[in-house]
Amino acid sequence: MSNPVFFASAGSLDGLEEGMEFVLEGPEARHAVAVKRLAAGEAVDIVDGAGTRMSGTVAEAAGTRLTVRCGALVEEARPSVRLVLVQALAKGDRDELAIETATELGIDAVIPWQSERSIVRWKGDRAAKAHAKWQSVVGAAAKQARRAWIPEVRPAVDTAALAAAVEAADLAVILHEDAVRPLRSVLEGWDGASGTGTREVLLIVGPEGGISPREVTRLCDRGAVTGLLGHHVLRSSTAGPAAVVLSSDILGRWDAT
């Protein structure tokens, strides 16, 4: 059974070596001590959200401090092909459900998209609070999945800014019910799949009402392609995670190392 995982701040595990002790404090330590009731001698993992994982043994658990003796320190590499979910804002927390599930499945970053047909709007104070909520959602999901990396929640974009991101990406796929080519065919035919260096693939999901024809044209004019994800119309909360699973398999992100 995997060890329970707790998050430390990025860089806080730097310089740690086997046999040394690390002290975790704050809400994460309080949760470990008061909720999980960890005790001396139990195995635990501490991750910094930026790829470093420390596996160790609890030396002391008291109050808001958890002291862990380092047994092993591992730097988990990011995949060479990174998947970014561009999720249109949706009502009923469907967008949050999408990014939560996508995080558990291994997404590397998410981009909130204020599309033309999005009913939900991020404006003023709500924008900052909503962005912080997305960060909280992916952080909790990463912890649930025992990931060493917390996906980046990039700034919200409108369609104009998304068009610029499409142009900068190595591949951008609009998941669309009217697409002619299946997503599998798009990914298997992508000449960057077997390239070297870090590459980035955008998976673009529209809101409840779908992506407008004008947006599809605008994004395709900047280099995006459309891809069909099965024969049924998926909800905005399920299309992204389904695409992450298929893309991860086709691009070899889940291959054993």
Side-chain angles (χ1 to χ4, degrees), residues 19-230:
M20 295 175 63
E21 291 188 345
F22 174 80
V23 178
L24 181 68
E25 299 181 288
E28 282 289 280
R30 187 181 303 111
H31 182 74
V33 176
V35 179
K36 292 295 187 180
R37 298 186 179 278
L38 294 182
E42 293 190 67
V44 65
D45 283 3
I46 306 293
V47 299
D48 68 353
T52 303
R53 180 186 301 272
M54 185 264 282
S55 296
T57 305
V58 176
E60 183 179 7
T64 59
R65 288 169 58 93
L66 182 74
T67 303
V68 180
R69 182 169 293 105
C70 177
L73 202 66
V74 177
E75 296 290 337
E76 298 187 6
R78 301 182 87 168
S80 58
V81 179
R82 298 179 186 175
L83 297 179
V84 178
L85 175 60
V86 179
Q87 178 65 49
L89 304 185
K91 64 180 182 179
D93 297 332
R94 292 193 186 281
D95 48 12
E96 293 178 9
L97 178 58
I99 64 171
E100 177 183 55
T101 308
T103 296
E104 293 176 8
L105 293 168
I107 201 73
D108 297 294
V110 297
I111 299 177
W113 175 31
Q114 186 77 70
S115 69
E116 290 182 8
R117 293 177 176 174
S118 289
I119 297 173
V120 174
R121 297 283 160 179
W122 285 11
K123 295 181 179 179
D125 292 341
R126 179 176 183 175
K129 291 179 180 178
H131 190 271
K133 179 66 180 298
W134 276 39
Q135 290 178 312
S136 176
V137 168
V138 301
K143 184 176 180 179
Q144 168 66 31
R146 296 182 171 89
R147 293 184 59 175
W149 287 95
I150 298 178
E152 174 190 7
V153 180
R154 296 179 183 173
V157 297
D158 58 14
T159 302
L162 177 55
V166 164
E167 193 169 36
D170 296 283
L171 176 66
V173 186
I174 303 169
L175 304 176
H176 201 281
E177 61 187 274
D178 293 331
V180 175
R181 295 178 66 196
L183 176 59
R184 172 177 293 277
S185 175
V186 171
L187 294 173
E188 290 179 341
W190 177 42
D191 57 9
S194 59
T196 58
T198 301
R199 285 140 289 150
E200 189 165 280
V201 176
L202 303 187
L203 300 172
I204 304 172
V205 177
E208 305 93 315
I211 303 174
S212 73
R214 178 169 57 183
E215 287 175 314
V216 172
T217 298
R218 187 172 187 178
L219 297 177
C220 287
D221 285 346
R222 301 294 285 272
V225 296
T226 57
L228 182 64
L229 191 58

